[in-house]
Structure formats: structure tokens, C-alpha cells
Amino acid sequence: ACKLWVENIIINDHISNLEPNELRRLTENARACHADPLYEAASEELAKRAPVDVLAETGSQVLAELMDRHLEKRQRRTQELAVVNSNGTLLIYDTANGSTLRTIEAHNDIIR
């Protein structure tokens, strides 16, 4: 228990000092490496303070998980939210129940 507490303190201290783009990269890398405690802490911090331009470069699966954890859930109402990232992937998300409705590869050009 003490080791886990120390690990959480170190993680939280580290992520609180990262620039938004560094935090985004850390979040994506932690997810890819299945580093769950680091991923959970980093994604929570990313959802709190990342500007839109940083989130626009975030992978669609990370965005879906951020929305699932941090958007308010509403019952029995469908509210779609479309998010596109810089590689052209369009994510259609139901904010009412927290589910991903579909992911579409929109195009291969960079969005500016």
C-alpha cells in the first residue's frame, strides 16, 4: 500500500509539471504500454487542462476514453458529439450514455 501511495505521488508530481503536448504524448504512450496508473492520472490531467489544439492531435481512442470518463452522462437522451483529429479520423460519440457510435476515416489531408 505504501509503494502504491509513493508511486501515485511521483506520477501526480511529474504530470503536473508537463506542458500540454508532453502530457498528450505521455497519455498516449501510457495507454499503448498498458501502464494503467500512469494512463489514468495523465488522462485525467489532460482532460482538465489541455487546450483544444492539443486535444485535436490526440488519438481517437484516447479521446473516446477521455469523453467516457469526464463528460457528464445524461440518461435516455442521445446527444452526438463529433470530434475530428489532425489525421482526419472522425469520432461520433454519444455523450448521453458514454458510448462511441462510430469512427470514420474522413481523409488523409492535415486539418488546419
Side-chain angles (χ1 to χ4, degrees):
C2 184
K3 181 182 175 185
L4 183 60
W5 179 79
V6 170
E7 182 179 278
N8 286 333
I9 295 294
I10 293 169
I11 288 171
N12 289 328
D13 182 59
H14 177 70
I15 64 175
S16 67
N17 294 312
L18 293 176
E19 294 295 322
N21 276 313
E22 293 172 327
L23 182 58
R24 175 187 54 81
R25 284 189 295 274
L26 176 68
T27 303
E28 291 174 338
N29 290 339
R31 182 182 186 279
C33 295
H34 305 288
D36 295 336
L38 179 59
Y39 174 67
E40 288 177 24
S43 65
E44 184 175 328
E45 186 71 14
L46 185 66
K48 285 181 193 174
R49 65 181 176 98
V52 173
D53 62 324
V54 171
L55 290 175
E57 297 177 13
T58 304
S60 61
Q61 292 301 318
V62 172
L63 279 175
E65 291 170 7
L66 285 175
M67 290 178 179
D68 189 42
R69 288 188 186 141
H70 302 290
L71 284 181
E72 178 182 327
K73 307 257 193 274
R74 294 177 181 86
Q75 297 190 5
R76 298 189 183 142
R77 290 176 34 193
T78 300
Q79 294 182 344
E80 292 184 6
L81 174 64
V83 178
V84 67
N85 63 15
S86 62
N87 68 5
T89 302
L90 178 66
L91 173 69
I92 309 295
Y93 190 80
D94 182 354
T95 60
N97 65 18
S99 65
T100 303
L101 300 175
R102 61 190 166 276
T103 301
I104 302 167
E105 296 297 324
H107 61 76
N108 293 328
D109 294 330
I110 294 175
I111 297 171
R112 297 187 196 270

